[in-house]
Amino acid sequence: MRENNNVMIVQENFGSGHLRHFREGIWHPFIKPLTRSTVVAGFTVVLIVGALFYTRMLDIHVISRASSTVTSTIYDKRPFLGSEIPKKPWKQIEIPLDCGAYNLTKKCPTNYPTSLDNQDHSPGSTCPEYFRWIHEDLRPWAHTGITKEMVDRAKETANFKLVILKGKAYLETYEKAFQTRDVFTLWGILQLLRRYPGMLPDLEIMFDCVDWPVVPLERYTGPNATDPPPLFRYCGDDNTLDLVFPDWSFWGWPEVNIKPWEILLGELKEGNKRTSWLKREPYAYWKGNPEVAETRKDLMKCNVTDQQEWNARLFAQDWGRESQEGYKKSDLASQCTYRYKVYIEGSAWSVSEKYILACDSVTLLVKPNYYDFFTRGLIPLHHYWPIKVDDKCKSIKFAVGWGNSHLKKAQNIGKAASNFIQEELKMDYVYDYMFHLLYSYGKLFTYTPSISPEATELCVESMVCKAEGREKKFMMDSLVKGPANTNPCTMPPPYDPPSLHANLRRKNSSIEHVQSSEKSYWEKQDMKS
């Protein structure tokens, strides 16, 4: 309640949040007393006017709701204050998809929005903690900037170069990537440009779609070292300088029928509800292709047999047979039926990590060599249980035994991981990570990017209009209809050296604690036998 110019304003939860005004002067003690008939007449007038006002506002409210359904207009939902002028409604812009025109001209549309008035946007939230690693990944170029010579040297292993100029994309392909990795990576970047039109600076990126990183740290350190080439890919490790970027599967992986992340994330959430954690199989589950790496072949030795029980249930995935049988046994949302799920790398990092973490099950994470863009935000014993790479079977048996003896703590670990995936790896944040990485990267350029004669303009029409089957379906399912109505999330500051080292020490300390407990357990078992 506040008073202003002899007017008392009371805000109530009334109708659609309107304010009701009462003249304070009517009840002032120094005013001449009013007759009963005058008071009754006055109240009658007030009630009639109030009823008409409320009816009018109710009609407006109903009409505006109906209008928003038809025109997809988003209205400012802040309560109207008497002294304020309501904001102009923010209209949701939908960018048309016109394959008919493209198929005739083979030219990208010229009516894409290339800028947006950010003042009409809602402020973004604070980005998740793992965004801070963007600062660390770009640190090698923080003082020198990025030159054309550096970018050109990254061509050695790149599959393609993508140039972004004035909000448009231009592609130069060097070598076709495995399956549709390059296709859906490029598709994802185009969706980013539709989501935040005109907000990225001009830039060029060299992208390598192969699994393992190739820019060695040791070659670019020391007094006589040259500056490293900026090369984008899906994962990195502690001995390389490759720039990690969200992988293609966020927009779909048609070859193995993995749906776009926004759809799959909802299915995984529903899949978690089918079997409560306590009713799940009390074993460690893994399903995948063991032939891609020796460490996976070693994992298969931990499977249950007539002679041994390592508390693991491990299954080899035959993608050829799955394809023939319609992927009936590879539905990810149906695989949340075990209390524990194993994550293990393949030839490098694996896209399966996000699906495993999303399952509410305790992720038993075999010590990885690689990281992708979000996994550096995971905390051992909070989001996952660490598994030794050189003694997997004993490590898994101990982890499952501990979890089945500490049900509540184990369940909390699984829940923390799935919450992380649902809340901090939703598609909004995937796009925002891409935005902040490319924005910060582009600001380091010391030259003006240009389009080579070999490059062609890339747009949604040039990709989706010629696509077929599952590839086209996944593109349409992940299509960004128009610009976002919020700004990108706000970047957290970079780590200072003490806080970064403390962060890494805490993680290592947690892992060492598990390994020490595990060692003591097996020493006691050996003494018993």
Side-chain angles (χ1 to χ4, degrees):
M1 181 180 295
R2 64 184 175 86
E3 295 184 9
N4 183 29
N5 296 328
N6 291 329
V7 177
M8 180 181 297
I9 301 178
V10 181
Q11 183 173 2
E12 297 180 354
N13 185 16
F14 178 67
S16 56
H18 305 128
L19 296 178
R20 301 170 68 190
H21 300 253
F22 297 87
R23 284 288 176 183
E24 185 180 1
I26 293 174
W27 307 109
H28 199 287
F30 297 106
I31 296 261
K32 182 179 178 180
L34 301 175
T35 65
R36 179 182 181 87
S37 60
T38 304
V39 172
V40 171
F43 267 106
T44 302
V45 171
V46 169
L47 288 172
I48 292 172
V49 172
L52 290 172
F53 175 77
Y54 175 70
T55 302
R56 175 60 178 158
M57 293 307 295
L58 184 60
D59 288 342
I60 291 173
H61 178 65
V62 172
I63 291 170
S64 69
R65 288 190 63 184
S67 175
S68 70
T69 303
V70 175
T71 63
S72 298
T73 302
I74 299 175
Y75 288 83
D76 188 354
K77 297 181 180 179
R78 297 179 307 161
F80 171 63
L81 299 180
S83 59
E84 286 189 358
I85 299 174
K87 269 193 171 183
K88 182 180 179 181
W90 189 91
K91 291 186 177 180
Q92 176 68 58
I93 301 172
E94 185 164 324
I95 304 172
L97 175 65
D98 193 347
C99 283
Y102 178 80
N103 290 334
L104 285 174
T105 65
K106 300 301 179 186
K107 293 182 179 180
C108 291
T110 58
N111 60 344
Y112 276 175
T114 56
S115 64
L116 207 61
D117 182 3
N118 294 336
Q119 293 180 351
D120 288 340
H121 277 195
S122 301
S125 59
T126 301
C127 302
E129 181 78 4
Y130 64 83
F131 277 57
R132 299 179 78 175
W133 287 98
I134 290 174
H135 303 292
E136 301 306 313
D137 288 350
L138 292 173
R139 196 173 296 280
W141 302 275
H143 299 294
T144 62
I146 293 173
T147 66
K148 180 172 175 52
E149 183 272 335
M150 294 178 193
V151 173
D152 288 344
R153 278 193 286 117
K155 179 180 177 180
E156 183 178 346
T157 65
N159 289 97
F160 63 81
K161 176 171 76 171
L162 189 72
V163 180
I164 297 176
L165 286 179
K166 295 182 172 61
K168 295 185 177 182
Y170 302 87
L171 174 67
E172 184 175 350
T173 301
Y174 303 128
E175 183 178 354
K176 185 71 182 73
F178 177 64
Q179 295 182 340
T180 50
R181 291 184 176 200
D182 52 350
V183 172
F184 279 88
T185 299
L186 292 165
W187 178 257
I189 296 173
L190 288 180
Q191 305 320 300
L192 175 68
L193 297 180
R194 288 165 72 89
R195 183 180 175 91
Y196 297 128
M199 293 178 66
L200 283 177
D202 294 346
L203 54 86
E204 301 177 6
I205 62 174
M206 293 286 188
F207 208 107
D208 188 342
C209 300
V210 176
D211 282 344
W212 46 88
V214 297
V215 183
L217 173 63
E218 62 180 4
R219 184 187 299 177
Y220 301 102
T221 53
N224 299 318
T226 58
D227 296 310
L231 181 64
F232 287 76
R233 68 176 346 98
Y234 308 120
C235 72
D237 63 28
D238 293 338
N239 300 311
T240 55
L241 298 173
D242 301 61
L243 293 166
V244 292
F245 196 83
D247 72 81
W248 72 95
S249 67
F250 282 98
W251 297 273
W253 189 357
E255 289 83 3
V256 293
N257 196 37
I258 290 180
K259 299 173 185 177
W261 183 236
E262 192 162 23
I263 296 172
L264 185 55
L265 194 59
E267 292 183 356
L268 287 165
K269 187 174 184 178
E270 291 303 311
N272 279 338
K273 299 175 183 177
R274 294 175 194 168
T275 308
S276 66
W277 195 86
L278 290 174
K279 292 182 179 180
R280 296 183 184 187
E281 296 287 338
Y283 303 106
Y285 171 90
W286 181 80
K287 188 174 186 177
N289 183 2
E291 300 303 318
V292 297
E294 289 300 319
T295 187
R296 289 190 174 186
K297 293 178 182 178
D298 187 51
L299 172 67
M300 298 303 287
K301 298 175 184 177
C302 305
N303 221 340
V304 61
T305 68
D306 293 338
Q307 290 78 37
Q308 65 181 17
E309 172 60 273
W310 294 113
N311 289 340
R313 302 294 184 264
L314 314 171
F315 304 90
Q317 178 75 288
D318 185 339
W319 284 113
R321 177 178 293 179
E322 276 297 293
S323 176
Q324 294 173 2
E325 297 178 355
Y327 302 97
K328 295 178 181 178
K329 298 179 181 178
S330 58
D331 176 44
L332 295 171
S334 299
Q335 296 182 15
C336 301
T337 56
Y338 286 77
R339 291 182 187 173
Y340 313 90
K341 294 192 72 173
V342 177
Y343 169 75
I344 185 168
E345 294 177 336
S347 57
W349 128 103
S350 170
V351 300
S352 65
E353 188 163 12
K354 56 183 175 289
Y355 312 128
I356 292 170
L357 287 162
C359 232
D360 269 1
S361 306
V362 181
T363 298
L364 306 185
L365 197 149
V366 180
K367 184 181 179 182
N369 291 316
Y370 304 94
Y371 53 78
D372 70 3
F373 76 101
F374 73 88
T375 53
R376 288 172 288 185
L378 299 175
I379 302 170
L381 298 187
H382 179 64
H383 295 116
Y384 69 90
W385 184 279
I387 298 296
K388 293 167 66 173
V389 70
D390 55 352
D391 201 357
K392 300 179 185 68
C393 299
K394 284 187 174 181
S395 197
I396 289 172
K397 187 175 178 69
F398 174 75
V400 172
W402 178 89
N404 289 337
S405 300
H406 301 80
L407 294 174
K408 188 62 177 177
K409 291 181 179 180
Q411 191 174 3
N412 287 342
I413 294 174
K415 192 62 180 175
S418 62
N419 285 345
F420 175 91
I421 296 298
Q422 290 287 341
E423 296 168 10
E424 300 190 35
L425 197 64
K426 58 187 177 181
M427 206 62 207
D428 289 346
Y429 283 139
V430 175
Y431 282 123
D432 284 2
Y433 190 96
M434 295 162 63
F435 173 82
H436 282 298
L437 174 59
L438 293 179
Y439 183 87
S440 301
Y441 167 79
K443 288 299 182 181
L444 293 172
F445 270 50
T446 61
Y447 69 100
T448 301
S450 60
I451 307 166
S452 72
E454 293 78 20
T456 57
E457 186 177 356
L458 190 69
C459 59
V460 162
E461 283 80 1
S462 68
M463 297 191 74
V464 74
C465 295
K466 64 182 179 182
E468 297 178 346
R470 193 178 292 117
E471 183 176 329
K472 183 165 190 171
K473 174 174 172 48
F474 287 174
M475 285 182 178
M476 292 303 298
D477 287 345
S478 58
L479 177 69
V480 169
K481 299 296 193 299
N485 64 350
T486 60
N487 286 316
C489 62
T490 303
M491 271 285 283
Y495 290 106
D496 58 72
S499 63
L500 177 59
H501 293 151
N503 179 292
L504 298 175
R505 279 198 305 271
R506 282 194 298 270
K507 291 183 179 181
N508 288 333
S509 177
S510 296
I511 294 172
E512 289 170 359
H513 172 74
V514 170
Q515 291 177 346
S516 176
S517 299
E518 185 180 317
K519 181 181 178 182
S520 298
Y521 171 82
W522 285 111
E523 286 176 350
K524 292 177 181 178
Q525 296 303 307
D526 291 340
M527 290 176 63
K528 290 179 182 179
S529 60

